[in-house]
Amino acid sequence: MKKKIAIIGSGIAGLTLASLLKTNSNFEFIVYEKGETLNLDEGFGIQLSVNSVFILNKIGFNQLDKNEKYHPSKLDFYSINCNKICDLNLTTFNSKNDEYTTLKRSILVRFLKERLLSNSIIFHKKINDVEQINGKINIHFIDGSSDKVDYLVVSDGVFSNTKSVIEKFFFKPDYYGAIAIRTQIRTEDISNLNSNNISLIMGSDAHLVLYPINQKKEFNLVCIIRKKSEDNDSIKTVLENTILKENKNLVNLFRGDLKSWPIYTSGKPIKSIYKNVLYIGDAFYTFPPTMAQGASQAIEAANEIFELISNNHKDIQNEYFKNRVERTNLINKRSKFNYFGFHISNPLLKILRKEFLKRLVKNKNFIHSYLGKIYK
């Protein structure tokens, strides 16, 4: 008898799991989405390290139009005045078929959606309650409908209302003390940077990351700025008091349509009170953005659940939770260390950082220990 899995949320985590489940005829699945449609607007870019590309290639990602993605070979480090410090070779972690990849988020979502049948996603669905009866999870929706499944996988983001409903406890993410600003830029706006690579520009209490997202060399820019309060100050004011205060020439990067939002991270990961309920992606844990592992970890977690269910593991929830917490702790520590290092404001420490970076990027043992454990 087929096992039935319900997935809450149609983001990268949920769609990846659904696409993997579709490859195994022993499963029946359905994706429930609270919105009315999938967000397939042009959107912004994402980075996928080799660990996630390897998984996506199982479901045909390597067949995606090559013009829709990009494979940067290096990460260039710059000071705020755009003087290059050093570079990190990203191809160290590539294999013949799996390469570090950048692309538009919308392209990845569209790719995953196209793996599924049109009736695999049901929209405008919000959970009202769940109960476990005879080893099954009964899901009750606000619209009065219900479903009975073997596993319920929740992937509805950092502000997961579903988790609060299921666990009968209100979960609130923590403001990280920073905001993100994103936009898309043109090649001519970054003439002083190498347009073939990912560029990381480090300022005082702020950093910028720029990278191409397709073969047309469209660029994504994300800027992370420390900000004590969540008040909605104008983007222009925030930029003028931070990035542009240090380097006015960077104003060209912010002429396009700017999007800004406060950065939140999760509290401690939790294991559901129901053994057949699993959390994935940002609903499990939301990372600081300084390792660019949000999408990759969502994909990784989806694959872990798929493998455990496929292999009919005796204790799926505990095994998944143990592995995910261990992985989460490792990446979270790296992310927080990067956050500190990228935002150094003390002039002396900046000099020391510059010298350390020059040495560290050439130290193969350090690189494979610091990044290899995550990218592989």
Side-chain angles (χ1 to χ4, degrees):
M1 186 174 178
K2 289 187 177 182
K3 290 181 179 178
K4 186 174 182 180
I5 296 95
I7 301 167
I8 306 299
S10 60
I12 290 173
L15 292 178
T16 299
L17 178 57
S19 299
L20 290 167
L21 290 170
K22 189 173 178 291
T23 66
N24 191 323
S25 60
N26 292 320
F27 300 125
E28 177 184 349
F29 67 89
I30 192 73
V31 179
Y32 291 110
E33 165 60 41
K34 68 179 180 180
E36 296 184 2
T37 60
L38 282 182
N39 182 6
L40 292 175
D41 294 337
E42 283 300 296
F44 298 102
I46 56 172
Q47 300 181 47
L48 299 175
S49 48
V50 179
N51 51 317
S52 57
V53 174
F54 171 78
I55 294 165
L56 291 174
N57 282 344
K58 295 179 183 179
I59 52 176
F61 184 67
N62 49 359
Q63 297 170 19
L64 183 69
D65 187 341
K66 292 182 179 179
N67 292 320
E68 299 283 12
K69 52 187 176 180
Y70 192 80
H71 303 297
S73 59
K74 291 183 179 180
L75 167 62
D76 294 331
F77 293 90
Y78 293 90
S79 59
I80 193 62
N81 56 11
C82 293
N83 289 332
K84 185 175 175 180
I85 298 172
C86 58
D87 57 65
L88 172 67
N89 182 9
L90 294 173
T91 64
T92 299
F93 309 101
N94 292 348
S95 66
K96 181 180 179 181
N97 299 315
D98 312 313
E99 301 177 82
Y100 199 103
T101 301
T102 57
L103 74 166
K104 291 181 179 179
R105 183 186 182 280
S106 59
I107 295 297
L108 178 57
V109 171
R110 185 178 291 114
F111 162 79
L112 293 169
K113 176 180 177 289
E114 289 174 352
R115 306 299 100 187
L116 308 176
L117 299 174
S118 59
N119 62 352
S120 297
I121 306 175
I122 300 180
F123 294 97
H124 210 260
K125 286 286 189 178
K126 293 179 69 174
I127 286 184
N128 183 50
D129 194 17
V130 301
E131 56 185 344
Q132 190 165 30
I133 301 176
N134 298 326
K136 301 277 188 178
I137 296 293
N138 286 2
I139 309 170
H140 302 283
F141 296 96
I142 288 177
D143 63 6
S145 62
S146 62
D147 197 3
K148 182 185 291 185
V149 299
D150 295 286
Y151 293 98
L152 172 60
V153 180
V154 178
S155 62
D156 59 346
V158 62
F159 295 102
S160 176
N161 181 64
T162 305
K163 183 160 65 173
S164 296
V165 170
I166 292 172
E167 309 301 334
K168 308 294 190 295
F169 180 86
F170 179 67
F171 291 92
K172 182 181 179 181
D174 300 319
Y175 176 58
Y176 196 61
I179 64 166
I181 298 173
R182 267 188 166 174
T183 189
Q184 290 179 305
I185 55 178
R186 303 167 301 175
T187 306
E188 51 265 36
D189 291 329
I190 57 168
S191 57
N192 54 338
L193 305 175
N194 189 329
S195 64
N196 295 314
N197 301 334
I198 300 173
S199 298
L200 172 62
I201 303 173
M202 298 175 290
S204 298
D205 295 328
H207 76 280
L208 301 85
V209 180
L210 307 87
Y211 54 89
I213 50 179
N214 50 38
Q215 295 298 327
K216 293 186 293 185
K217 290 289 184 71
E218 293 180 293
F219 278 78
N220 180 78
L221 164 66
V222 60
C223 178
I224 307 299
I225 300 174
R226 289 178 185 260
K227 189 171 178 293
K228 292 182 179 180
S229 72
E230 302 173 60
D231 295 340
N232 293 322
D233 299 332
S234 72
I235 300 176
K236 181 180 179 181
T237 299
V238 173
L239 287 171
E240 287 179 347
N241 291 335
T242 53
I243 298 292
L244 302 182
K245 186 177 181 179
E246 292 190 279
N247 185 351
K248 294 185 183 299
N249 293 328
L250 293 175
V251 69
N252 289 339
L253 300 179
F254 301 99
R255 288 179 174 172
D257 182 28
L258 302 177
K259 303 293 184 184
S260 174
W261 62 91
I263 295 173
Y264 292 91
T265 56
S266 303
K268 187 177 179 181
I270 64 110
K271 188 190 306 181
S272 178
I273 57 176
Y274 302 110
K275 68 176 184 178
N276 291 7
V277 173
L278 303 166
Y279 295 104
I280 190 174
D282 285 346
F284 181 85
Y285 190 85
T286 304
F287 296 97
T290 40
M291 278 297 294
Q293 275 289 300
S296 291
Q297 288 309 304
I299 293 165
E300 252 191 42
N303 186 63
E304 287 174 14
I305 291 175
F306 172 69
E307 294 290 346
L308 287 168
I309 296 177
S310 297
N311 295 328
N312 200 25
H313 195 282
K314 292 182 180 180
D315 194 358
I316 290 174
Q317 187 191 61
N318 283 329
E319 184 67 16
Y320 168 75
F321 186 77
K322 182 188 73 173
N323 293 339
R324 231 2 38 215
V325 167
E326 182 178 341
R327 190 82 166 134
T328 295
N329 288 340
L330 173 66
I331 294 167
N332 200 33
K333 288 177 182 177
R334 301 279 200 274
S335 298
K336 290 180 177 179
F337 181 77
N338 284 0
Y339 185 71
F340 166 77
F342 296 166
H343 289 192
I344 288 174
S345 57
N346 181 282
L348 178 58
L349 290 180
K350 284 184 178 182
I351 295 172
L352 292 175
R353 177 184 64 188
K354 179 179 178 180
E355 297 306 313
F356 272 122
L357 278 173
K358 287 180 179 179
R359 287 167 172 77
L360 290 177
V361 296
K362 296 179 181 179
N363 188 320
K364 292 183 178 181
N365 290 332
F366 172 80
I367 295 303
H368 281 278
S369 175
Y370 193 77
L371 295 177
K373 289 181 179 179
I374 293 173
Y375 287 177
K376 291 292 187 179

